[in-house]
Amino acid sequence: MTANAGPATDATAAAQADAPAEATQVLVLNSGSSSVKYQLLDMADSTRLATGLVERIGEETSRVTHAPLATGGAKREREQPIADHEEALRAVTEELTADGLGLDSPKLAAIGHRVVHGGQRFSGPTVIDREVLAEIERLIPVAPLHNPANITGIRTAMGLRPDLPQVAVFDTAFHTTMPEHAARYALDVETADAHRIRRYGFHGTSHAYVSRETAKLLGRDVTDVNVIVLHLGNGASASAVEGGRCVDTSMGLTPLEGLVMGTRSGDIDPAVTFHLRRVAGMSVDEVDELLNKKSGLIGLCGDNDMREIGRRMGEGDRAAQLAFEIYVHRLRKYVGAYTAVLGRVDAVAFTAGVGENSAAVREASMRGLGALGIELDAVRNSVRGSSARLISADTSRVAVAVVPTDEELEIATQTYALVSA
Ligand code: ADP
């Protein structure tokens, strides 16, 4: 994905001036409401120096897990009360410092922040200044669960290293190329525009990375390749990518729309929500919780982990079997729809936890799609691996691939490209 300075070109110039020539490291921060995931990478050779997680922030039993990859040392884990994101980042600094790395290291070029919602405005990585931060804040009504935590992480990191460029990499950015007919809901235009209601899409960093890596695997230029990317993690989304540009994606105003997910329903008749309000007497918050946290695989069978569902199916468990079938059915519908959207499909790429690991989901979702030019090779599909690989038959017109995603590397790459340009 091209580094797009977006609206913050002045800040970018200032940031570039600040980065010392030998500074090649990027710290990637993914701040959730009660957790901070981090990774330190050296972009001179794209190696990972350290990775870790601070979880249960605000509880007595917060936990810090740190893997010092550069030194090859053992993973460290400690439990201690961590009150807020500032203490969490201090814990991250302590861990990195213990490895001879650190937030105050002159080798650090920038901090790259995952930001979930960038609205229509941010189509690429953007150096964060006060104005950019204010815009991320203005988007809170469309991302109430995610943007506040991202903002807290950014503010904290800015407080600790005010001199360092801080870059926002948005989950929505890759999808800003969607044409209006794919992005707009068929709603009253005035109401939709007044409340910024449209389809934004999420997981964009992953869809961007995976579509590019798929082109590499095929030995072709990304601009020549049309790919359907299936990002199947706990959250799941599909996208139709034409020559490196997203033309449609399954998530919408929020990450609730589209595929069946671990705990989210995905597509549903919106009238179900009125029905739950009027007939079941549920409040808006209860409906929200039902659709986001108690639906999808967990709502259907009580488990949201595809490994457990596979194990239960092996024992003849019917609820697990039905959950799997509903999940796969939705996936097949999107593959069919995106084949029609793209016209010509060169590859279908599976990624994220389920996509990379579940041969059963891949097999069931691609079965009988010969009419679309899709034929899986059963042996290739069943072989486990950690690198990008083809799993289609040699006779398949459409390549089917497993392409491990790497959102942290993509965030670091985009961040570094912006500050070192
Ligand atoms: P997220 O980042 O959205 O939390 P991941 O991409 O890490 O999710 O995917 C997590 C999911 O991947 C788990 O919930 C589980 O269902 C699935 N998963 C992980 N390993 C396997 C496996 N070996 N077989 C099947 N599913 C797996």
Side-chain angles (χ1 to χ4, degrees):
M1 186 162 163
T2 51
N4 175 351
T9 41
D10 290 349
T12 308
Q16 282 161 6
D18 286 349
E22 74 280 12
T24 54
Q25 295 177 2
V26 174
L27 178 66
V28 175
L29 290 181
N30 182 352
S31 307
S33 55
S34 65
S35 72
V36 175
K37 282 189 206 154
Y38 63 95
Q39 226 173 70
L40 183 70
L41 296 101
D42 192 337
M43 299 318 291
D45 51 5
S46 296
T47 49
R48 244 172 276 269
L49 303 174
T51 181
L53 168 69
V54 184
E55 54 195 327
R56 302 201 292 260
I57 296 171
E59 292 178 31
E60 281 299 302
T61 56
S62 315
R63 186 174 28 202
V64 184
T65 313
H66 178 86
L69 306 174
T71 58
K75 203 172 179 181
R76 301 193 289 267
E77 230 182 79
R78 62 190 158 107
E79 277 196 6
Q80 67 181 76
I82 291 180
D84 53 25
H85 282 71
E86 181 158 352
E87 280 187 25
L89 273 197
R90 288 197 191 286
V92 173
T93 309
E94 276 170 31
E95 292 295 342
L96 291 172
T97 307
D99 294 341
L101 307 161
L103 214 59
D104 50 3
S105 162
K107 291 198 182 141
L108 197 58
I111 299 182
H113 296 267
R114 177 195 182 206
V115 180
V116 168
H117 216 308
Q120 278 179 275
R121 174 166 157 189
F122 299 111
S123 57
T126 304
V127 174
I128 306 166
D129 58 14
R130 235 193 295 178
E131 208 266 316
V132 169
L133 200 53
E135 181 61 18
I136 300 172
E137 264 176 347
R138 276 195 286 275
L139 289 163
I140 287 177
V142 285
L145 299 177
H146 296 102
N147 275 27
N150 300 156
I151 291 165
T152 307
I154 291 169
R155 282 194 197 290
T156 309
M158 281 177 138
L160 293 174
R161 278 299 302 269
D163 56 313
L164 203 64
Q166 312 262 343
V167 174
V169 177
F170 299 93
D171 265 28
T172 45
F174 184 61
H175 305 301
T176 54
T177 53
M178 271 195 289
E180 198 63 6
H181 59 251
R184 193 172 269 283
Y185 291 111
L187 276 179
D188 168 67
V189 171
E190 261 181 46
T191 309
D193 288 351
H195 301 287
R196 303 200 205 202
I197 299 171
R198 58 188 284 115
R199 307 187 58 256
Y200 294 98
F202 298 88
H203 291 146
T205 312
S206 175
H207 287 281
Y209 176 82
V210 170
S211 49
R212 262 201 341 261
E213 291 299 306
T214 305
K216 269 194 216 164
L217 183 69
L218 300 182
R220 291 168 66 178
D221 196 282
V222 70
T223 56
D224 292 335
V225 177
N226 292 350
V227 189
I228 298 174
V229 179
L230 302 172
H231 176 110
L232 311 177
N234 217 346
S237 63
S239 67
V241 184
E242 188 176 54
R245 289 166 65 84
C246 177
V247 292
D248 207 349
T249 195
S250 59
M251 284 178 165
L253 173 73
T254 76
L256 181 56
E257 192 180 346
L259 301 175
V260 175
M261 311 182 209
T263 65
R264 296 178 213 144
S265 62
D267 293 337
I268 200 164
D269 180 345
V272 170
T273 59
F274 324 145
H275 189 82
L276 289 168
R277 291 273 284 143
R278 291 182 186 135
V279 179
M282 290 172 76
S283 69
V284 170
D285 287 345
E286 283 168 341
V287 175
D288 189 329
E289 193 181 345
L290 177 77
L291 297 183
N292 274 298
K293 304 224 170 101
K294 297 182 180 166
S295 297
L297 294 171
I298 207 157
L300 288 165
C301 73
D303 270 308
N304 63 337
D305 191 319
M306 201 51 89
R307 286 166 287 205
E308 186 57 17
I309 290 172
R311 193 192 61 72
R312 283 173 53 186
M313 282 162 62
E315 292 174 349
D317 185 314
R318 294 187 56 188
Q321 181 70 38
L322 183 59
F324 180 88
E325 284 167 10
I326 294 170
Y327 183 96
V328 164
H329 178 69
R330 184 81 50 86
L331 209 46
R332 294 163 65 83
K333 288 213 293 196
Y334 270 92
V335 171
Y338 287 173
T339 300
V341 166
L342 289 168
R344 187 200 82 224
V345 180
D346 298 297
V348 175
F350 284 90
T351 196
V354 176
E356 291 167 30
N357 294 297
S358 176
V361 165
R362 296 192 299 255
E363 196 279 324
S365 59
M366 298 286 101
R367 190 187 307 150
L369 298 187
L372 302 184
I374 295 172
E375 284 174 69
L376 221 58
D377 180 285
V379 175
R380 288 176 190 160
N381 183 42
S382 64
V383 175
R384 295 188 63 82
S386 57
S387 51
R389 58 200 184 272
L390 287 175
I391 56 169
S392 40
D394 293 338
T395 47
S396 185
R397 188 156 39 82
V398 175
V400 183
V402 177
V403 180
T405 193
D406 194 336
E407 287 164 286
E408 288 79 13
L409 175 61
E410 180 67 16
I411 291 172
T413 303
Q414 291 189 24
T415 298
Y416 191 63
L418 186 60
V419 300
S420 63

